[in-house]
Structure formats: structure tokens, C-alpha cells
Amino acid sequence: KLCGYLQKLSGKGPLRGFRSRWFVFDPRRCYLYYFKGPQEALPLGHIDIASACFSYHQPEAAAAAAGDEAAAFEVHSPGGAVAVLKAATRQDMTYWLQELQQKRWEYCNNLDAAKRASRTSPTPSDFSKGLVAKDNPGSILSQNASAERARNILAVETSPTDLVGEQAASQPAPVHPSAINFSLKQWSNEIKNSMTSLRKGNNENRKSVFYTTEEWELLDPTPKDLEDSIALEEKRKHLAEGSKGLTSSAFPFDFGRIPHKTRRPLKDMIGSNKNRSSTESSPADWCSGNGNKLVSELQLKYQNQQEELEKLKKELLSQKELVRLLQQTVRSSQYDKYFASRLCEGVPKDKLELLHQKDDQIVGLNNQLEKLNLEKDSLQQEVKNLKCKVGELNERLGMLMETIQAKDEVIMKLSRQLSECEENTSSQSGAVNSSAATCTNKELQELDRLKDNLQGYKTQNKFLNKEILELSALRRNAEARERECQAKYTSLEAKLCQIESKYLILLQEMKTPVCSEEQSPAREVITQLLEDALKAESSEQPEQAFFKPHLVSEYDIYGFQTVPEDDEEEKLVAKSRALDLRSLSLSENREISTGVKWENYLASTMNREMMRCAELKNLIRSGIPHEHRSKMWKWCVNLHIKKFKDSTIPGYFQTLLQNALEKQNPASKQIELDLLRTLPNNKHYSSPTSEGIQKLRNVLLAFSWRNPDIGYCQGLNRLVAIALLYLEQEDAFWCLVTIVEVFMPRDYYTKTLLGSQVDQRVFKDLMSEKLPRLHAHFEQYKVDYTLITFNWFLVVFVDSVVSDILFKIWDSFLYEGAKVIFRFALALFKYKEEEILKLQDSMSIFKYLRYFTRTILDARKLTSIAFGDLNPFPLRQIRNRRTCHLEKVRLELTELEAIREDFLRERDTCVEKRDLISDDEEDS
């Protein structure tokens, strides 16, 4: 699993910077999702790797040594979007780039193979369970051998650090040094936002408390300031029109909560960060040979002064904002005091004292404003002084540059003189040797730096060459797909012209039929059309089959036979139904949106376990995608059967199976008889050598040993056969346990089928309540529709509806339970309600009920009826009605058993009736 921490460049303006994110690669869609952390449920977004390209810049050696931007790389997406990511080390960056390249290569090649398959084949995915998984071709287009060799040569071997992989989830997220700190301006913005909720309120309960990290000291304002503010508020009051009620202070404080011992002047709080400038140090000796060092120090000081100036400007702006807020607060408080003094005539002394205290606080705020104004003036003066200092530093810098230039000329001149005199004196030769050694060391360091840069550029060159090679191969594959699509389109157009031509001949024949013994041309056309229509797509000629998109495959994606081989008339109807299903799936864009919703949901569960929720329930009701059904079915079964599995020993299923194979089981004979009769129209169970037959036998035998009360009942074989299409043997066994022992009531599959009979009574009640017209129609013609629906409930619609609808029903059934059967049984009748009401005799109604479910093809409409039109549908109501009918059915079965015993007793005592014993009873 490719996952780990990366820094992602995000944000706008001054907030733009690198933020640590947890990245997870999803191989199903070739998306790179990123989360706030490993435990987050919902991703913040994703990057499409399939259509992206990668690049990075080779930094200079000094920057690489410092680690600044050394491990940053870019992911370029279509449309010009660029995601800038940064790894903790260059080693991690190389690993991420290599892995993302490889994932993109594999996904795109798998995609090319999938484009060649029609809907009759599963999409390439990570299948690992069930018989349907065996049909997954998993084929990849034949790749260019030279391209593969080149990719392997250009690959750079590297291993990740602890910040890559699933083990990185247990480590804290790395913090980038350029993280944005919480500034005073942001703090003041939050104060403004919090004030918006305090604009209006009752005059009595208008006091709110403003807590700060440090305490504020209050100073009394002058009486003149107080009178001016009161007069100003009076003018505003007279100018305002249409205002009603009293307006409370927008920013009131409860200063009574502040202890006197910890008070601190406001100017100390605001100006606590302003004294940060360091003292200047003047150049010591201009002629001492240290000019370069002095210039670098001055440049550093200059940069520090610039940074300090920017910080002071930001603080000044924030302090101005704070002063404005305090001014508004003072004016509001003064106005409140003035207005309250008018209303407080005759108020008791204790309340007047409280008002006087508030007046003192208001006076203090005015005084504080004066101090803030002085503070502002001082800050402005400091800014001017800093500007002057910056100008002086610029002048000094110019002087230093001139001095350095002059010194360089002197040095060059002295160097020439030194080279001329090096052979004369030994002291001079020693100095030359030392300077030569110094130069040699510098040259060696420079050589090492150049070697490092060269190695970095070689690695970058390899990576970029590999990227170009892969992008070229992917582009060629895309062009090949485009050519194939163009050829397919041409074939479709030609086929359409042929069909339209034959269709016109048929219309002409229908308009003016030719009645003669000789075969007319139209007859030949009809015969040819029927032969073409009944042809099934074969795998013998895959190239030709690719250009015959009109044909229907012999088997669907679940292994069910699309067109029967026996009856030619039924063959034509089945082919027509398969074409309608194909047309419906191709014209319905909703499947795409459902797939996207599933991908997003599964992406949110990468870092956590799935749990029952409304979102998952709605997704399952819309249908689980083919590629995720194996995983989801297993999860649903484990959800319901967890307490049973926890109470069993390890290897429980294998133990049951071993016992069933070693010892004779009463149910074994009946199981063997029903194996080939389970799903004869499914290729996984069509012959004794089919893979599904042995698995089906094992699961049924193991269950007969687990539940001897039931042993085996006809119908269980079909439940297991459907489960085995997406689950392995042991999971299918637990799926059967879930259906029989968790979902269904007791005695549902026993000898008396008591629970099944009760559910038919309950279903009749629901029919009379939800579909009263149809129920009355059946009652009028005395049609017992439970003869049809009994099998629906017993095997959960297996062999009753088309396969696409069947598996959507099973999706909801395994998640929600038996209530889903009632929903879909009612929905099937409601879907065809108008057609059934048109039938006016019992024989035609019963004949229609035997096959009408196979004519329902629109799964979306049926699901909408089941989970929308039939609401409300409480499970409590079904349970209550089951309890009510259970006693009635038990009483009826008891009476039938008594009648049967009386008959047997009378038959044994009467000689005439003894002769009526059947041959079967005599054999037994």
C-alpha cells in the first residue's frame, strides 16, 4: 500500500505555504488521495495520477545541503493544474516518483486491456474471491520489449524512510519550518467575528465577558472627552430613522472579573514585541583587509532591519485596528451611560453606585485611548527613524563597494609583485606555498560540489528520460485506442445501414404481403435476420468479434447463459431481452455517478473500518459495483455473524467439512441429487466437473452438520450457489448461516416450512395494505398468487428475475435482512400493476404471473419503487404480523397432522382401504 506523509503547497496570498498531509494511493482509479491525517475519514481532495506527468528541479549543492526545496516535486495534471509536493528527504522523493510512475504505467496498460472487453467481462480489479473472479481476464496489452528494457535501465533503486508506508501512520506528522504562525491581526479578526453575535439583546442582560491571556489596566478618561462622546451619540440618535428599541454595547466588558494584583497596562501588552531591533556595530577598521566580511555583516543587518520594518508595519496595522475597536467600545459605553442616566431617575442607591463604577470604567477607557494615540505617534516616529537608518545603510553599502573595488585593484597589483619576487626570498616562497595549499583545498571543495551536482543531474536526467519514454508509450496506446474506436464506429455505421435496409423490406412486406407458394425475397430477409440475431459472440475470432458490437455474449458477467439452446422461440425472446438490457445499461449515465460515489466512499474508509451508516445504506440500495461486490458481501456477512464466529474454534468450517466427508450424513443423498439441478443455466454449475459443483457440495455438507435440525432443504443449494459467485467456500458457508439463522425466522427451512408459510400470510396483509386494487383483483378472480411468491421468499428471487436485478436485491438483502424481500416482492407487483389489472380471467392472470418478473429490466425504477414508493415500511410491523399468523398456522398444521393420523389409523384397520396403498408406500 503506497501511503505516507508529504508536504503539499496550498493556500493563497500570505497564507500560501506547505502543509503536512497524509497521502494514500488508490489503485482502483489511480488517484492519490490526501487527508489531514491517517485517522481522517473524508479526503481533502485527490490528484489524478493516470493522466499526470511528474517533474522536479535539481537544486544547487548549497541549497541541497541546507535541505531547502531539495525534496520538492511537481505533479502536472490536464488543464494546467500543478500540485507541488515535498517529501522529508530526497530519498523519499525519489521513492514516491518511482512508485507513482510504476502505478501509472500499470493502470494505463490495464485500462488498455479493459477497453477491448465489452460489458460481458468484468472490469480489471483486485478480485480475490468467488467464482466470478475466475472470469476476470486480467490481461495486459503486449508491451514494447525495448520500452520495458529502457524503463528498467533508467529506474533508480531507492528505499523509503519511516515516513512512507503504513507504519508511518503511527508517527507524528512532520512540521514544516515555514509554518504560518497565528498573528495579532488574525486575533483581532476573530474578535470582530465574535462581536457580530452580540449586536442586539435585552438592556438588562447585555453584559458579556471578554477574556484575554493577560489582564488590562483601566484608566479614567477626562470629563471633557466624556461630554464630547455623549453629544456625538445624541446627534447620531437624532439622525437615525426607523430604529426601534435599545441598542446594547457592541463590545461590553466585565472588568469586575479582573483581579487588581495582575493588572497590566494595555500599552505594555501591545508594544511587547516592538523592541526587537538589535544595536548596530560600526565598521572597525576600513584598511585592515576585512572589507568583504564587513560588507556581508552590513548586508545581513540591512536585511534584518528590513524584516523588522515589515514586522513593525504589520503590528502597527493590527494596533490601529485594535484602537478603532476600542474607540467604538468607548463611544458605545459612553452612550449607554448617558442614556441609562436618563432612565435611572428614582433608581436605588446600590444601582446608582454600580452605574458610577461603570462611569469610572468608561473614563478609564478614554484615558487609555489617549495613551494609544501617543503609542501610535511613537510607532510612526520609529518607522521614520528606521527609514532614515535604511538610507544611511545604503550609503555605507555604496561606500564599502567602492572601497572593496579599490582594494581588489591593490590586491591584484600586489599579487603580480609577489609572483615576480617569489624566487628571491624564502619567506615569500613559504607564503606562496600556504596560499597555494589554501587554493588547492578550495578547488577540492569546489570539485566535490560539482561532482554532487553532476550526480544529481544524472539522476534527474534518468528520471525525466523515463518520464518521457512512459508518456510517449501511453500516448501511442491512446492513439491505438482511438483508431480502434474509429474502426468500431465505422463497423457500427455499416451494420446500422444493413439493418435499416432489411427493416424497410420488412415494412414493405407487412404493408403489402405477397401470398404465393414461392418464397418471396422478404422471407429470405426474415430468415437471414433471424439467423444473424441468434448468433452469440464467440471467443474463437476475437478480432472479428471486436468489430461486431451488436452481438450478445453467450454468458453474462455472472456466468448465466444469455440465450438458451433448446427452444428457438424462447431463444429469440431471451436474445431480445439481453439486447434490451444492454441498451438500458449503455444509455443510463447513472451507473457512472454511482461508481464515483462508491469510489469516494471507499477512499474515505482507507484509514478506518467501515461502519453502518445512512450513507452506506443508500449506496448499497443503489447497487454495489461489480468490482466491489466480493469485498462488500463478505463485510455484510461478518457484520451479522460476528457473534457466531467469535464463539467457534479456529478452523470450524474445515472441521465440519471433514466430519461430513468421513461420516455418512442423512442429507448427503439429497444434496448429491440436487447439485446439478441447482443452476443449470450457469456455467459454473452446468456440469459435474464445473468448479462450483465441488464448492457447493462442501458448503451444503458442512451446514448439514452444523444444523442437524434442518440438515438440508431444497432451496439452500440455490442460496449457496449465488453466494459462491462472489465468496469463497468458508465465507459462503457463513453467508448461509446468516440467512438461515439470523435473517429468517425459525422453521423457515425445516420439514414443515412453517416460517415460509407465515411470511406468505404476512405478504398477503401487506398486499391488501400497499396495493389494494391489485389485491382486490386477485380476490375477484380467486388467484392464489402465494403459489408464485412462495419460491421468491424461499430462495430470495433466484431464477425469478434477471441477473442484474437479482444481485442488486441480494446487495440490500445481505445488509438489511429479510425485510428487503417484502419490499421487492411488492415492488415487482406494483411495477406491472396496470398490466395485471387489464387481465380479466384467472388462467391468463396465473399464466402472466409465472413469467412477468423476467420482463422487468429497469433495476433503477424497481429500486425506486421498493425503497421510495412503498414507504413507510417498519420492521416492527412485519414482526408483529408474523407473531399473529404464527399461532394460526401452527394450529392448522396440528389439525392437518391429526387428520393424517386418523386416516392412517383407519386405513390400517379397514381391509378395503388397505388395497389403496400406492406403489411408493409399498416400496417403502
Side-chain angles (χ1 to χ4, degrees):
K1 187 175 181 180
L2 180 59
C3 57
Y5 284 108
L6 288 174
Q7 301 280 344
K8 185 178 185 298
L9 184 63
S10 59
K12 295 181 179 180
L15 298 179
R16 185 169 178 81
F18 284 97
R19 290 170 175 80
S20 180
R21 295 287 181 254
W22 175 258
F23 283 79
V24 179
F25 180 78
D26 181 12
R28 295 186 300 272
R29 301 184 66 189
C30 202
Y31 278 2
L32 187 64
Y33 290 95
Y34 53 94
F35 304 78
K36 281 187 178 180
Q39 305 304 324
E40 292 294 323
L42 296 177
L44 299 175
H46 67 270
I47 303 172
D48 187 1
I49 301 300
S51 55
C53 60
F54 314 105
S55 66
Y56 71 93
H57 300 286
Q58 174 63 25
E60 293 297 330
D68 184 24
E69 306 297 331
F73 60 96
E74 298 175 353
V75 181
H76 298 261
S77 301
V82 180
V84 182
L85 307 178
K86 184 188 292 187
T89 62
R90 289 187 61 81
Q91 182 180 354
D92 283 347
M93 180 196 74
T94 307
Y95 179 81
W96 273 100
L97 288 172
Q98 294 275 19
E99 287 297 312
L100 291 176
Q101 272 188 336
Q102 183 65 25
K103 300 294 184 184
R104 181 188 62 188
W105 180 258
E106 293 174 357
Y107 177 82
C108 291
N109 282 300
N110 287 338
L111 188 64
D112 290 336
K115 292 295 182 183
R116 294 185 174 274
S118 65
R119 187 180 178 275
T120 57
S121 298
T123 54
S125 58
D126 52 349
F127 275 142
S128 59
K129 307 288 182 183
L131 296 171
V132 175
K134 311 297 180 184
D135 297 333
N136 183 24
S139 59
I140 300 178
L141 279 180
S142 57
Q143 301 167 1
N144 191 342
S146 61
E148 276 298 314
R149 285 196 301 272
R151 288 182 71 254
N152 295 331
I153 293 173
L154 295 174
V156 179
E157 294 185 1
T158 182
S159 57
T161 63
D162 293 339
L163 293 177
V164 181
E166 295 183 4
Q167 73 278 359
S170 59
Q171 299 186 5
V175 180
H176 195 266
S178 63
I180 300 173
N181 296 323
F182 190 75
S183 64
L184 184 62
K185 184 175 182 180
Q186 293 171 323
W187 179 58
S188 63
N189 289 336
E190 287 205 356
I191 294 176
K192 290 191 289 184
N193 295 334
S194 64
M195 288 167 54
T196 57
S197 61
L198 305 172
R199 292 294 182 187
K200 293 186 179 181
N202 294 330
N203 194 28
E204 297 177 355
N205 300 322
R206 60 198 172 104
K207 181 171 66 174
S208 62
V209 184
F210 179 75
Y211 295 96
T212 62
T213 55
E214 300 185 35
E215 305 299 342
W216 289 13
E217 180 181 355
L218 297 177
L219 300 177
D220 296 334
T222 60
K224 183 178 179 182
D225 294 335
L226 185 59
E227 292 175 0
D228 293 341
S229 62
I230 292 174
L232 183 60
E233 291 295 334
E234 283 293 333
K235 290 180 183 178
R236 291 182 179 177
K237 180 180 177 182
H238 290 301
L239 290 174
E241 296 181 0
S243 60
K244 296 181 180 181
L246 298 178
T247 303
S248 62
S249 173
F251 196 69
F253 295 87
D254 188 2
F255 292 100
R257 295 177 179 265
I258 303 174
H260 293 280
K261 293 181 180 180
T262 57
R263 290 181 181 174
R264 181 179 172 185
L266 181 62
K267 66 178 182 179
D268 292 343
M269 293 172 59
I270 298 176
S272 59
N273 296 322
K274 73 176 184 177
N275 297 321
R276 298 175 182 174
S277 60
S278 58
T279 58
E280 296 184 15
S281 59
S282 58
D285 189 2
W286 292 93
C287 300
S288 62
N290 296 328
N292 291 330
K293 182 178 179 181
L294 187 59
V295 170
S296 61
E297 290 178 357
L298 285 175
Q299 287 177 345
L300 182 61
K301 287 182 181 180
Y302 176 71
Q303 291 176 359
N304 292 336
Q305 292 292 341
Q306 290 284 2
E307 293 175 358
E308 200 69 31
L309 180 61
E310 292 298 326
K311 291 180 181 178
L312 288 173
K313 285 181 180 179
K314 291 180 180 178
E315 288 185 3
L316 179 61
L317 290 176
S318 62
Q319 289 166 6
K320 285 182 179 180
E321 181 68 18
L322 195 58
V323 167
R324 187 183 65 79
L325 292 175
L326 291 174
Q327 287 174 348
Q328 290 180 358
T329 304
V330 170
R331 285 197 299 270
S332 177
S333 300
Q334 291 170 350
Y335 170 72
D336 289 343
K337 175 188 173 184
Y338 177 80
F339 191 74
S341 64
R342 298 286 185 88
L343 297 177
C344 290
E345 296 179 1
V347 178
K349 289 185 178 181
D350 52 350
K351 294 186 177 181
L352 288 176
E353 290 178 359
L354 181 61
L355 291 175
H356 287 315
Q357 291 178 4
K358 296 294 182 180
D359 293 343
D360 295 340
Q361 293 176 358
I362 293 169
V363 172
L365 285 173
N366 282 331
N367 237 353
Q368 192 66 36
L369 279 175
E370 290 185 357
K371 287 192 173 184
L372 287 174
N373 289 329
L374 293 175
E375 189 73 26
K376 182 184 70 174
D377 295 339
S378 64
L379 288 174
Q380 290 176 349
Q381 186 62 36
E382 286 185 7
V383 170
K384 292 180 181 179
N385 294 337
L386 286 173
K387 289 182 179 179
C388 294
K389 289 180 180 179
V390 168
E392 292 176 0
L393 288 173
N394 287 331
E395 293 178 0
R396 291 182 180 179
L397 182 61
M399 293 172 60
L400 285 173
M401 294 299 292
E402 294 176 358
T403 305
I404 289 171
Q405 186 177 359
K407 287 182 177 291
D408 287 341
E409 294 177 358
V410 172
I411 289 171
M412 293 296 296
K413 183 178 179 181
L414 292 175
S415 297
R416 287 193 297 270
Q417 293 176 359
L418 185 62
S419 60
E420 293 174 357
C421 300
E422 62 182 353
E423 296 179 356
N424 297 333
T425 60
S426 59
S427 60
Q428 289 178 349
S429 64
V432 169
N433 291 334
S434 63
S435 63
T438 304
C439 293
T440 304
N441 291 333
K442 289 183 178 179
E443 289 175 356
L444 290 175
Q445 292 177 0
E446 182 69 15
L447 182 61
D448 292 339
R449 185 182 68 82
L450 291 175
K451 285 182 178 179
D452 292 340
N453 283 345
L454 179 61
Q455 185 62 36
Y457 283 119
K458 283 183 178 180
T459 304
Q460 184 186 21
N461 187 41
K462 277 188 176 182
F463 169 78
L464 293 178
N465 285 336
K466 183 182 177 184
E467 181 73 7
I468 293 171
L469 177 67
E470 287 191 2
L471 291 176
S472 300
L474 295 176
R475 180 180 58 81
R476 288 193 297 272
N477 292 341
E479 291 175 351
R481 285 201 305 271
E482 185 179 358
R483 288 193 297 270
E484 291 171 354
C485 289
Q486 185 65 30
K488 183 177 180 180
Y489 169 75
T490 305
S491 174
L492 275 170
E493 192 172 10
K495 189 73 175 177
L496 179 62
C497 293
Q498 295 174 12
I499 292 175
E500 286 185 354
S501 173
K502 295 173 183 178
Y503 177 66
L504 292 175
I505 295 175
L506 284 177
L507 290 179
Q508 180 66 24
E509 173 67 16
M510 296 296 294
K511 182 178 179 183
T512 57
V514 178
C515 298
S516 64
E517 296 181 358
E518 297 181 0
Q519 192 175 14
S520 64
R523 297 281 181 181
E524 296 179 1
V525 171
I526 294 173
T527 305
Q528 185 62 39
L529 279 174
L530 287 174
E531 290 178 0
D532 292 344
L534 294 177
K535 286 181 182 178
E537 184 178 334
S538 63
S539 58
E540 298 174 0
Q541 297 175 338
E543 295 161 0
Q544 295 181 5
F546 177 75
F547 297 109
K548 292 181 180 178
H550 223 43
L551 301 180
V552 176
S553 175
E554 185 179 0
Y555 296 98
D556 62 11
I557 58 176
Y558 313 105
F560 288 100
Q561 195 171 23
T562 307
V563 181
E565 299 176 355
D566 308 337
D567 188 3
E568 186 167 337
E569 184 177 353
E570 179 63 25
K571 204 173 182 182
L572 194 61
V573 173
K575 183 66 177 289
S576 174
R577 186 187 305 130
L579 287 171
D580 288 339
L581 274 172
R582 181 83 178 274
S583 173
L584 193 65
S585 65
L586 291 175
S587 61
E588 202 174 60
N589 293 327
R590 180 178 177 273
E591 294 297 329
I592 300 175
S593 62
T594 302
V596 172
K597 290 178 182 178
W598 269 101
E599 294 296 343
N600 290 340
Y601 177 78
L602 293 176
S604 69
T605 61
M606 284 185 179
N607 299 320
R608 63 180 177 89
E609 293 184 0
M610 279 191 293
M611 298 177 64
R612 301 188 73 159
C613 60
E615 179 187 5
L616 179 59
K617 184 178 181 179
N618 292 330
L619 282 175
I620 291 178
R621 284 181 171 183
S622 65
I624 302 174
H626 183 76
E627 58 269 24
H628 305 310
R629 187 167 279 132
S630 176
K631 173 184 177 182
M632 292 304 302
W633 277 18
K634 183 177 179 180
W635 179 83
C636 290
V637 170
N638 291 332
L639 183 70
H640 297 290
I641 209 71
K642 189 175 186 301
K643 61 179 181 179
F644 291 93
K645 293 182 73 173
D646 292 343
S647 62
T648 59
I649 60 174
Y652 176 69
F653 171 74
Q654 296 297 333
T655 303
L656 291 176
L657 181 58
Q658 191 67 27
N659 291 337
L661 294 176
E662 291 177 354
K663 302 175 183 178
Q664 186 64 27
N665 190 333
S668 301
K669 183 177 179 181
Q670 188 60 43
I671 289 174
E672 288 296 329
L673 290 174
D674 287 347
L675 285 178
L676 290 177
R677 295 185 295 191
T678 302
L679 292 177
N681 60 339
N682 191 292
K683 65 181 179 181
H684 302 294
Y685 306 99
S686 58
S687 67
T689 58
S690 298
E691 184 180 1
I693 292 295
Q694 183 59 42
K695 291 185 176 182
L696 181 61
R697 179 188 294 112
N698 293 343
V699 175
L700 291 174
L701 287 174
F703 182 79
S704 66
W705 273 86
R706 171 184 169 82
N707 196 331
D709 186 32
I710 296 176
Y712 171 73
C713 171
Q714 287 184 344
L716 297 182
N717 55 334
R718 294 188 175 187
L719 297 176
V720 175
I722 294 298
L724 281 171
L725 291 177
Y726 283 99
L727 301 174
E728 291 298 333
Q729 290 186 79
E730 186 171 354
D731 296 326
F733 166 78
W734 287 113
C735 180
L736 182 61
V737 174
T738 303
I739 295 172
V740 176
E741 301 181 13
V742 179
F743 289 163
M744 300 304 190
R746 290 186 60 186
D747 300 326
Y748 212 89
Y749 295 97
T750 55
K751 192 174 183 180
T752 60
L753 298 176
L754 176 62
S756 302
Q757 296 184 54
V758 170
D759 270 3
Q760 295 310 303
R761 307 282 182 95
V762 175
F763 182 66
K764 273 192 173 182
D765 293 345
L766 293 174
M767 279 285 289
S768 63
E769 177 186 334
K770 301 288 185 180
L771 302 173
R773 286 197 306 154
L774 195 57
H775 179 73
H777 188 68
F778 288 142
E779 292 293 327
Q780 178 184 354
Y781 293 100
K782 295 181 174 54
V783 175
D784 187 7
Y785 52 86
T786 58
L787 297 174
I788 303 296
T789 60
F790 186 85
N791 194 54
W792 296 359
F793 282 74
L794 198 65
V795 297
V796 196
F797 299 99
V798 177
D799 267 351
S800 297
V801 294
V802 295
S803 54
D804 280 353
I805 294 178
L806 173 65
F807 285 94
K808 282 183 168 59
I809 293 175
W810 271 66
D811 293 339
S812 301
F813 171 67
L814 290 179
Y815 182 74
E816 300 184 46
K819 183 175 72 169
V820 170
I821 305 178
F822 289 95
R823 280 186 178 272
F824 277 98
L826 290 170
L828 288 170
F829 279 113
K830 187 172 180 60
Y831 195 104
K832 293 291 186 178
E833 182 178 13
E834 297 302 326
E835 287 81 352
I836 298 173
L837 291 174
K838 292 176 183 178
L839 303 174
Q840 298 300 321
D841 62 274
S842 58
M843 289 299 294
S844 60
I845 293 174
F846 196 78
K847 183 179 179 181
Y848 184 76
L849 292 181
R850 293 185 64 181
Y851 74 87
F852 84 100
T853 55
R854 307 290 300 181
T855 64
I856 296 175
L857 306 178
D858 193 346
R860 178 182 180 182
K861 181 179 177 182
L862 184 67
T863 304
S864 176
I865 294 173
F867 295 110
D869 298 350
L870 297 177
N871 285 333
F873 209 94
L875 181 60
R876 182 177 62 256
Q877 179 185 12
I878 296 176
R879 288 174 177 168
N880 294 338
R881 292 185 177 181
R882 276 175 171 170
T883 305
C884 177
H885 288 292
L886 181 61
E887 297 301 325
K888 297 179 183 179
V889 176
R890 277 179 177 168
L891 184 60
E892 292 174 5
L893 289 177
T894 304
E895 293 175 356
L896 287 173
E897 185 65 25
I899 294 171
R900 177 177 175 275
E901 290 177 356
D902 292 341
F903 173 76
L904 292 175
R905 192 182 308 111
E906 184 179 354
R907 188 187 66 179
D908 293 338
T909 57
C910 182
V911 179
E912 296 178 357
K913 292 186 176 180
R914 191 179 300 171
D915 297 336
L916 300 176
I917 298 176
S918 65
D919 296 337
D920 294 337
E921 290 180 350
E922 287 180 354
D923 294 338
S924 61

